[in-house]
């Protein structure tokens, strides 16, 4: 079990990343809700999908070049594909809650806009937690500790599964000698 000082240090290192992610997420959420609200006449689920597609591209660029700017850069195709894949799952979470409000509770986009917006906002919250975990775990790899992580990431497209900065962990990828 990690000591309190180790946990405090991990939280201290995580705070700037979480703050940047939160700022980008807040801006994208406002844009998402505006697009969703304006396009609701095409149907709430379609509006949710449209808003997600537009804001995902903006989120990728902002996260790559601000939140995770110090993380290792892997192939753009790899990052972008994983980013969009995890956003697709996030969109399913968000749209699923919108679907639940519309078809499960019978809310109408004409009479119950605020109720549908509430369901969508709850979906956004759940999807945000999922995305934060997925981006930092799989998409934007941690910076190299001993220089071997880049070689491993080149060999294995799923290198994000490994905790590459776990230098003190016996048997961790970071302690491999690839010479």
């Amino acid at each position: 079990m990690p000591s309190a000082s180790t946990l405090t240090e991990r939280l201290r290192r995580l705070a700037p990343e979480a703050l940047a992610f939160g700022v980008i997420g807040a801006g994208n959420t406002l844009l998402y809700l505006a697009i969703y609200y304006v396009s609701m006449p095409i149907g709430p689920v379609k509006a949710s999908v449209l808003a997600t597609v537009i804001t995902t591209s903006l989120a990728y660029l902002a996260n790559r070049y601000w939140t995770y700017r110090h993380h290792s850069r892997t192939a753009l195709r790899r990052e972008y594909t994983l980013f969009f894949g995890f956003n697709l799952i996030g969109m399913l979470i968000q749209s699923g809650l919108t679907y639940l409000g519309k078809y499960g509770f019978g809310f109408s986009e004409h009479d119950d806009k605020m109720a549908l917006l509430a369901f969508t906002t709850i979906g956004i919250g759940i999807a945000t937690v999922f995305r934060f975990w997925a981006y930092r775990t799989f998409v934007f790899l941690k910076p190299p500790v001993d220089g071997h992580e880049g070689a491993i990431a080149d060999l294995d497209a799923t290198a994000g599964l490994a905790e590459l900065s776990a230098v003190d962990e016996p048997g961790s990828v970071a302690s491999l000698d690839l010479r």
Side-chain angles (χ1 to χ4, degrees):
M1 185 161 121
S3 68
S5 62
T6 304
L7 180 59
T8 303
E9 179 61 25
R10 287 186 71 184
L11 290 174
R12 188 188 65 74
R13 286 192 317 259
L14 183 65
E17 185 179 313
L19 181 63
F21 182 84
V23 168
I24 293 166
N28 264 339
T29 298
L30 292 175
L31 179 61
Y32 173 91
L33 291 173
I35 294 167
Y36 175 74
Y37 188 81
V38 168
S39 61
M40 203 180 286
I42 67 172
V45 176
K46 289 177 191 170
S48 176
V49 171
L50 176 66
T52 298
V53 169
I54 292 170
T55 57
T56 295
S57 292
L58 295 173
Y60 173 77
L61 293 171
N63 279 298
R64 165 41 56 218
Y65 294 105
W66 185 34
T67 307
Y68 301 105
R69 68 186 173 278
H70 301 301
H71 284 219
S72 297
R73 304 244 169 139
T74 59
L76 176 65
R77 185 177 0 162
R78 177 200 165 278
E79 282 184 1
Y80 209 58
T81 302
L82 287 172
F83 191 88
F84 268 82
F86 288 121
N87 266 288
L88 178 61
I89 295 169
M91 181 187 69
L92 291 174
I93 293 168
Q94 289 171 214
S95 297
L97 264 87
T98 301
Y99 183 91
L100 178 65
K102 167 92 172 144
Y103 300 105
F105 287 90
F107 294 137
S108 161
E109 58 269 24
H110 303 290
D111 301 326
D112 305 304
K113 279 188 178 182
M114 296 312 285
L116 284 170
L117 206 55
F119 269 79
T120 299
T121 303
I122 292 167
I124 289 170
I126 295 168
T128 296
V129 171
F130 167 75
R131 286 178 177 125
F132 181 71
W133 169 79
Y135 296 166
R136 69 184 324 271
T137 304
F138 301 106
V139 179
F140 303 112
L141 301 179
K142 297 193 176 172
V145 174
D146 63 0
H148 297 302
E149 291 82 358
I152 293 169
D154 289 341
L155 296 173
D156 184 3
T158 60
L161 294 170
E163 181 67 31
L164 297 178
S165 63
V167 176
D168 297 329
E169 296 293 324
S172 75
V173 175
S175 65
L176 291 177
D177 184 14
L178 297 176
R179 288 175 242 197

